[in-house]
Amino acid sequence: MTPVELSRTVLHAVRRAVDAGELSVAVPTRAVVAPPGPGGCGDYATSIALQLARPAGQPPFRVAEVLRSHLAEADGITDVVLTGPGFLNISLDRAATDVGLVREILRRGPRYGYVDAAEGAEGRVVQLRCPRDPRAVVVADASARILRSQGTRVRVSAEGIEPAWTSVLGVTVDAVGPVSAELPVEVRPAPVDSVGPVAAELPVDVRPVPAVASAELLSLGRDAGRWALLHPAAHDRPRTGVEHLVQRESNPLFRVRYAHARARAAARNAADLGFTAAPGPLTDVEPGLLAALADHPRVLAAAADHRAPDRLARHLVTVADAALPFLLTVLPRGGEKPSAAHRARLALAEAVGAVLAGGLALLGIDAPDHL
């Protein structure tokens, strides 16, 4: 069971409780599930009972007790424990969950974690406005891509834009110049262009640091240039040196693209050996890799909600770092013949490649098959 499937299972439990007359509430459109916090247990936790307590007119713990009975009957759930004021801590059938996760990623491909338009924020339009600054425009562009992946309609406007930002960095905006709109979302990360006084209205206080010349940024090209601007948090000054072009493990962008290339190479080499991927039970796989893949939809949702592409960029680094040791073990060694275990590991490798390719695409960065 993937986190998306678990979220739907939680909503189904609410619906069953309502149909049974145990709760009198409107069934929410979304149930957030995440790794348990301090004091929690199991694989995932949800605070849906706290969300429903007031409209239900019941204490959160009582709502959680009602939902627990319905969740415990669901396939793929092995235990449900209540903690705190009413948190539901859910344990999953790990073997079935891992197989289901890989199968779901392969089914969705690079669009794993996307929200269908019917499930997104219907009728919602977010307008992102940014100053005449290359980083702000790139952040707005990537934020718009991520928001659209979550079913949200977006318009991007900039106070100004240089032709090179489009030709080199690949940014697009819907309007240029002062645009008045109701409740716009300001996108003003720390600027990187020191030409002219640019007042950066940051979401948090930032210690002043020198800005770099935009010529250095543009010399990085599209992929490295966008990564240099998107990987740091909005309140951190980006570094735009040649370190983003170095093909070494010290370069996070290289690790992400290298992991993707290794995953694609595994599929090609497996084809040469005469076998293909088939999701199945996984052994000797770091739980951190499967957890990172399972967390991808949540990261996309959070990056969209906070207009924070840096969250996605750092998540891709986490996936890549967890995947690189595993990718060395996918193919048979020596005189081994391909087995069901190898097919299952190849399926996981292809799932890694799909997540990395999809995430890089949302950042506007190419994911080469060869590196």
Side-chain angles (χ1 to χ4, degrees):
M1 183 181 297
T2 67
V4 173
E5 292 170 335
L6 179 58
S7 176
R8 291 170 181 162
T9 300
V10 172
L11 292 179
H12 183 62
V14 175
R15 190 172 293 109
R16 290 180 62 187
V18 171
D19 292 342
E22 298 169 303
L23 294 177
S24 179
V25 296
V27 179
T29 58
R30 180 182 176 189
V32 177
V33 296
C41 59
D43 297 298
Y44 293 97
T46 178
S47 59
I48 189 74
L50 281 71
Q51 176 184 341
L52 298 177
R54 182 181 293 275
Q58 299 186 40
F61 200 86
R62 172 56 188 156
V63 175
E65 287 179 324
V66 170
L67 296 179
R68 180 188 182 280
S69 63
H70 294 287
L71 284 170
E73 299 173 354
D75 293 338
I77 293 179
T78 59
D79 194 16
V80 182
V81 176
L82 306 187
T83 58
F87 292 106
L88 289 153
N89 298 264
I90 303 169
S91 297
L92 304 177
D93 181 339
R94 178 47 55 194
T97 296
D98 293 345
V99 174
L101 171 65
V102 174
R103 185 176 289 116
E104 173 67 9
I105 296 174
L106 295 183
R107 185 182 72 84
R108 298 296 301 272
R111 294 179 64 85
Y112 168 65
Y114 279 39
V115 173
D116 294 334
E119 301 177 14
E122 184 177 355
R124 177 188 176 197
V125 179
V126 173
Q127 178 165 329
L128 304 180
R129 299 199 309 177
C130 50
R132 187 188 184 97
D133 167 66
R135 188 187 186 196
V137 175
V138 169
V139 169
D141 178 78
S143 297
R145 294 167 186 254
I146 297 171
L147 280 162
R148 292 182 185 115
S149 79
Q150 301 303 293
T152 301
R153 292 185 294 168
V154 188
R155 281 183 53 84
V156 179
S157 63
E159 294 175 4
I161 186 170
E162 297 292 335
W165 302 351
T166 298
S167 61
V168 177
L169 298 177
V171 297
T172 59
V173 297
D174 298 297
V176 178
V179 177
S180 60
E182 293 185 12
L183 299 178
V185 177
E186 296 286 351
V187 181
R188 291 179 177 265
V192 300
D193 191 348
S194 61
V195 180
V198 180
E201 298 178 9
L202 305 178
V204 295
D205 293 334
V206 177
R207 183 173 56 190
V209 294
V212 299
S214 59
E216 183 181 28
L217 166 65
L218 297 177
S219 69
L220 296 177
R222 172 171 174 154
D223 293 335
R226 289 181 71 98
W227 181 268
L229 301 179
L230 295 173
H231 182 247
H235 55 270
D236 291 332
R237 184 78 64 183
R239 294 181 298 174
T240 56
V242 295
E243 64 268 20
H244 298 291
L245 298 174
V246 174
Q247 296 197 21
R248 296 176 183 167
E249 291 186 358
S250 59
N251 180 2
L253 175 59
F254 169 74
R255 298 203 303 274
V256 172
R257 300 174 88 188
Y258 181 61
H260 173 265
R262 287 299 301 260
R264 299 297 301 144
R268 292 194 302 271
N269 293 334
D272 292 339
L273 293 174
F275 74 98
T276 57
L282 295 160
T283 58
D284 300 326
V285 175
E286 276 294 324
L289 173 57
L290 292 162
L293 295 176
D295 202 32
H296 188 65
R298 184 198 64 81
V299 172
L300 289 185
D305 289 344
H306 296 277
R307 279 80 58 189
D310 59 283
R311 296 191 180 203
L312 173 57
R314 291 195 296 273
H315 173 66
L316 296 181
V317 176
T318 298
V319 172
D321 288 346
L324 281 169
F326 161 76
L327 292 172
L328 299 174
T329 70
V330 172
L331 299 176
R333 296 182 179 182
E336 283 185 315
K337 293 184 177 181
S339 64
H342 292 111
R343 289 190 286 273
R345 296 174 82 84
L346 178 60
L348 177 55
E350 292 186 359
V352 167
V355 168
L356 294 178
L360 287 172
L362 289 176
L363 298 179
I365 296 173
D366 184 43
D369 288 350
H370 303 272
L371 197 63

